[in-house]
Amino acid sequence: MGKIIAIANQKGGVGKTTTTVNLAASLAVQEKKVLVVDADPQANASSGLGVDVRELKTTIYECMIDQADPKTAIRKTEIDYLNILPSHIDLVGAELEMIQLPERETILRKLLSELKADYDYILIDCSPSLGLITVNCLTAADSVLIPVQCEYFALEGITKLLNTIRIIKGHLNTGLEIEGFLLTMYDGRLRSARQVADEVRKHFKSLVFNTMIQRNVTLSVAPSHGEPALLYDADSKGAVDHIQLALEIIRKNN
């Protein structure tokens, strides 16, 4: 039975999609069966794994709103063991449509329960908000991975996210845990980055991953080629850091 990890932070630009795509690829090259669930209307995880969202007939939107079979929506990627349930801009309107649906907070959990046995890891790329779609993601997940960029205001909004996690754990998903805080966009040459990293480690202690994702141009360029860093430049810092993260997560969950 697979583990479902939501990658969430309502603050934009912290590296959620970059983490999702590159962690998924790194787990897959360790021969773990991985499904990326793109739950962000921007569909950046989908395009970052080579999916042309303009050509899709079935996406996570149709699965959540029209009860389409998720297995018909899943696409293979260039990497063995790695599949994706893609997103579409239509997902923007899903929250309004879901208001009318029964048990609207658990739609994604029921959907993913049909897929969990087929994968070792299911990674959900959450949108930068705390709306109903993100609530669905956290309700469906076994744990939450929280990217925190190593810049000032890094802790801004984390209290709100942790409060949301606490509420969901109390009412919708009692088993929800924090997988860990991941320091992203780290530049060791900058005193401010070192200070933020120290501050996060002081606050969250053992919940912070040992691996840090360093600032790296490959992580910015690779998505424009529809590839994770591992395919674009396997020797880049971005690729190597995510391999280390994948190994840390595998060790932790074994």
Side-chain angles (χ1 to χ4, degrees), residues 146 148 154-162 178 180-183 196-209:
I146 304 170
V148 182
L155 300 178
E156 186 181 84
I158 286 184
T159 303
K160 197 171 182 181
L161 175 62
L162 292 176
I178 292 176
F181 292 85
L182 175 66
L183 293 163
V196 169
D198 290 344
E199 189 81 2
V200 172
R201 291 194 187 282
K202 187 174 78 176
H203 270 77
F204 301 111
K205 300 181 172 63
S206 63
L207 283 175
V208 183
F209 287 105

Side-chain angles (χ1 to χ4, degrees), residues 38-228:
D38 191 349
D40 187 344
Q42 296 176 86
N44 289 334
S46 302
S47 59
L49 285 171
V51 175
D52 187 346
V53 296
R54 297 167 299 181
E55 296 180 353
L56 297 175
K57 290 187 171 62
T58 311
T59 68
I60 190 173
Y61 171 82
E62 285 77 18
C63 296
M64 293 185 73
I65 302 302
D66 302 328
Q67 288 80 54
D69 182 352
K71 292 185 179 180
T72 65
I74 290 172
R75 296 287 179 269
K76 292 183 177 179
T77 72
E78 288 184 57
I79 299 176
D80 291 340
Y81 299 100
L82 176 55
N83 292 347
I84 182 163
L85 176 55
S87 186
H88 190 273
I89 192 64
D90 287 351
L91 197 61
V92 167
E95 296 200 355
L96 286 174
E97 297 176 69
M98 288 166 66
I99 289 171
Q100 312 297 327
L101 300 177
E103 298 180 321
R104 57 185 178 267
E105 297 91 353
T106 59
I107 292 169
L108 187 60
R109 179 163 67 190
K110 290 169 187 169
L111 191 156
L112 295 184
S113 67
E114 302 173 34
L115 305 172
K116 202 171 181 183
D118 297 335
Y119 296 94
D120 296 308
Y121 292 96
I122 296 177
L123 304 184
I124 309 174
D125 185 26
C126 300
S127 63
S129 74
L130 292 178
L132 190 51
I133 298 287
T134 300
V135 168
N136 261 265
C137 296
L138 297 176
T139 302
D142 297 307
S143 64
V144 192
L145 189 158
I146 304 170
V148 182
Q149 84 278 35
C150 292
E151 297 175 358
Y152 284 121
F153 310 118
L155 300 178
E156 186 181 84
I158 286 184
T159 303
K160 197 171 182 181
L161 175 62
L162 292 176
N163 191 48
T164 300
I165 291 169
R166 183 182 59 78
I167 291 167
I168 287 172
K169 187 168 182 172
H171 298 279
L172 294 166
N173 183 4
T174 55
L176 184 64
E177 301 292 342
I178 292 176
E179 187 72 24
F181 292 85
L182 175 66
L183 293 163
T184 64
M185 305 178 191
Y186 179 74
D187 186 342
R189 298 169 300 178
L190 300 178
R191 184 182 173 195
S192 59
R194 297 195 301 272
Q195 286 174 334
V196 169
D198 290 344
E199 189 81 2
V200 172
R201 291 194 187 282
K202 187 174 78 176
H203 270 77
F204 301 111
K205 300 181 172 63
S206 63
L207 283 175
V208 183
F209 287 105
N210 293 324
T211 305
M212 293 193 290
I213 308 302
Q214 301 170 76
R215 275 201 180 278
N216 178 237
V217 69
T218 300
L219 293 176
S220 304
V221 174
S224 66
H225 296 265
E227 294 179 340

